[in-house]
């Protein structure tokens, strides 16, 4: 719990910038970056999914399946895991394996995109 100026996040409905007094909402998060901006500086986290709940009292709750500081993610591991997931998706013999690999591909592509944006 901390006071911040703005939170930017990626939701299924689109990218959002949330400030105090934002209209109450519940948004499903898609894999992407949550950018938290405060007077003390900014922090970026990668989330694989979850929900953001903006309450009427200007309190934002983020319920994420998993969240990692963007700076702690190894770009080489992401590239390697993406290549493996793509291989599994293209060689899948059944729909369940193919769908599971497609979810992994989506996640690693989002991670790779977030890391590319961070380095610019």
């Amino acid at each position: 719990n901390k006071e911040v100026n703005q939170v930017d996040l990626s939701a299924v409905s689109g990218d959002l910038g949330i400030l105090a007094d934002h209209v109450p909402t519940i948004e499903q998060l898609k894999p992407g970056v949550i950018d938290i901006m405060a007077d003390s500086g900014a922090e970026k986290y990668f989330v694989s999914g979850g929900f953001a709940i903006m309450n009427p009292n200007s309190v934002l709750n983020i319920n994420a399946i998993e969240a990692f500081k963007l700076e702690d993610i190894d770009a080489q591991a992401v590239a390697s895991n993406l290549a493996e997931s793509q291989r599994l998706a293209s060689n899948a013999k059944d729909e369940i394996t193919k769908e599971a690999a497609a979810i992994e591909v989506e996640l690693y592509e989002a991670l790779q995109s977030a890391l590319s944006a961070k380095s610019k």
Side-chain angles (χ1 to χ4, degrees):
N1 285 340
K2 68 179 180 178
E3 201 167 301
V4 300
N5 300 324
Q6 181 173 341
V7 177
D8 294 339
L9 52 84
S10 295
V12 172
S13 64
D15 292 339
L16 299 172
I18 299 175
L19 302 166
D21 298 322
H22 191 283
V23 64
T25 187
I26 298 174
E27 297 288 340
Q28 182 179 352
L29 300 174
K30 66 180 185 178
V33 174
I34 293 180
D35 194 357
I36 302 168
M37 291 160 269
D39 290 338
S40 60
E43 295 180 70
K44 293 178 185 263
Y45 293 85
F46 183 85
V47 297
S48 59
F51 290 90
I53 303 160
M54 184 63 186
N55 297 288
N57 62 352
S58 291
V59 172
L60 174 65
N61 295 337
I62 296 176
N63 300 312
I65 297 165
E66 48 191 5
F68 301 96
K69 280 193 166 189
L70 199 55
E71 64 196 37
D72 293 341
I73 297 172
D74 180 352
Q76 288 182 325
V78 170
S80 174
N81 288 332
L82 174 58
E84 177 63 12
S85 296
Q86 289 169 328
R87 186 190 68 74
L88 288 172
S90 64
N91 294 332
K93 305 244 185 280
D94 60 81
E95 274 307 303
I96 292 173
T97 304
K98 188 174 188 172
E99 288 299 320
I103 291 168
E104 285 185 6
V105 167
E106 178 186 9
L107 175 72
Y108 287 121
E109 286 176 343
L111 250 172
Q112 202 168 53
S113 176
L115 291 170
S116 295
K118 179 186 100 169
S119 64
K120 291 182 181 176

